[in-house]
């Protein structure tokens, strides 16, 4: 069976002339943050029963993040204009 490793980071690379910058963003931080916010929203629903939309939206974002992580390594964007370049990759 072929198993792809899960993505753990988003790498944002910026090249502008001689200046280069790579910024890794760990995906598990977003997962933990959204899970914590979802817990707070569920707690808030105990006091007001009309706020169902935030729970649904956060749950959908968590599912999207899970699916993105399951794709493994892939490049989302690679944009080059003159001597400037921006690329977004999942590792």
């Amino acid at each position: 069976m072929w198993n792809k490793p899960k993505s753990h980071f988003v790498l944002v690379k910026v090249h502008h002339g001689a200046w280069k910058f790579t910024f890794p963003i760990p995906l598990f931080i977003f997962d933990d943050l959204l899970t914590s916010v979802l817990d707070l929203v569920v707690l808030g629903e105990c006091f007001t029963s009309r706020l169902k939309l935030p729970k649904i939206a956060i749950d959908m974002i968590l599912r999207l993040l899970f699916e993105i992580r399951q794709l493994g390594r892939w490049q989302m964007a690679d944009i080059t204009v003159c001597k400037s370049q921006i690329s977004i990759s999942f590792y």
Side-chain angles (χ1 to χ4, degrees):
M1 178 183 267
W2 292 59
N3 291 330
K4 280 186 155 183
K6 291 184 356 180
S7 297
H8 297 286
F9 290 94
V10 175
L11 291 179
V12 178
K13 296 179 184 178
V14 178
H15 300 277
H16 181 67
W19 183 73
K20 295 179 182 179
F21 179 71
T22 301
F23 187 67
I25 303 168
L27 289 174
F28 62 88
I29 290 177
F30 288 119
D31 191 31
D32 290 342
L33 178 68
L34 288 173
T35 304
S36 300
V37 170
L38 182 62
D39 291 341
L40 290 174
V41 168
V42 169
L43 180 67
E45 283 182 358
C46 295
F47 299 110
T48 60
S49 62
R50 296 184 185 188
L51 296 176
K52 300 285 185 198
L53 186 60
K55 180 182 177 185
I56 294 170
I58 293 172
D59 190 40
M60 289 178 68
I61 292 171
L62 279 170
R63 289 182 191 179
L64 177 67
L65 185 60
F66 176 76
E67 292 296 327
I68 286 175
R69 291 186 74 185
Q70 295 301 318
L71 291 174
R73 299 177 84 179
W74 60 286
Q75 187 169 17
M76 183 176 184
D78 189 12
I79 302 167
T80 304
V81 177
C82 295
K83 295 181 180 179
S84 301
Q85 179 184 11
I86 296 175
S87 67
I88 302 171
S89 304
F90 289 83
Y91 286 95

